[in-house]
Amino acid sequence: MISITVTALVFGVVFLAELPDKTALAGLVLGTRYRASYVFAGVAAAFALHVVLAVAAGSVLTLLPQQIVHAVTGVLFLGGAAVLLMKKDEGEEEVRRPEDQSFWKVAGSGFMLILVAEFGDLTQIMTANLAARYDDPLSVGLGAVLALWAVAGLGIVGGKALMKRVPLRLITKVAALLMLGLGVWSLWEAVSG
């Protein structure tokens, strides 16, 4: 049986923790380039897997060495920033025709990005802690996955709306700079932690 109270509490905590995180940025970047429904399918599947792992592991995930997690995340962000900065400019027409992108390619890209970038993330560890605390894996899992899907959806929709007003080249450069900053910050946490 699902506890509405536990589900709502977990939703609120995870939503607020994830909102300023890299998920919204990743969704925004993918949402500017590909069909939103395809991006969301991949991202949603990755988050569902993360929540299942977090709930199953309980508090064990908190034992992961944070320095390693920060170092890997930092390197991945720096690599993502480099890819964005070195990518050839695409014509606006090509970007605005999402039917040219297959579902499996776009959903797979979103899935892999979130799967790797969010592993060992604060919200995954928080979900594990909440699952251990409330001993209600279904309610905790439901609250966490709905919160993560909501943040991803906001990022993806925000990306589509932003692209109508701002040139893709500028969005890509800003996203690359943000990823560069997140990469440097993650590496700093790995070294200083």
Side-chain angles (χ1 to χ4, degrees), residues 52-62 124-132:
V52 167
L53 291 173
V55 169
S59 61
V60 174
L61 286 177
T62 60
Q124 190 178 31
I125 293 169
M126 282 176 34
T127 301
N129 287 335
L130 290 166

Side-chain angles (χ1 to χ4, degrees), residues 92-176:
E92 291 290 321
E93 295 255 335
E94 185 178 341
V95 173
R96 289 180 191 248
R97 285 185 300 169
E99 62 272 9
D100 293 343
Q101 300 292 329
S102 76
F103 171 80
W104 294 109
K105 180 179 177 184
V106 174
S109 295
F111 179 84
M112 290 307 297
L113 176 70
I114 296 301
L115 188 69
V116 172
E118 292 292 316
F119 188 78
D121 190 55
L122 171 67
T123 51
Q124 190 178 31
I125 293 169
M126 282 176 34
T127 301
N129 287 335
L130 290 166
R133 177 177 178 167
Y134 289 107
D135 195 24
D136 187 354
L138 193 56
S139 298
V140 170
L142 181 62
V145 81
L146 290 175
L148 294 168
W149 288 355
V151 171
L154 287 173
I156 292 166
V157 169
K160 286 290 186 191
L162 186 62
M163 193 172 148
K164 291 179 182 173
R165 293 173 175 66
V166 182
L168 180 61
R169 178 180 294 155
L170 179 60
I171 294 171
T172 301
K173 288 189 190 235
V174 169

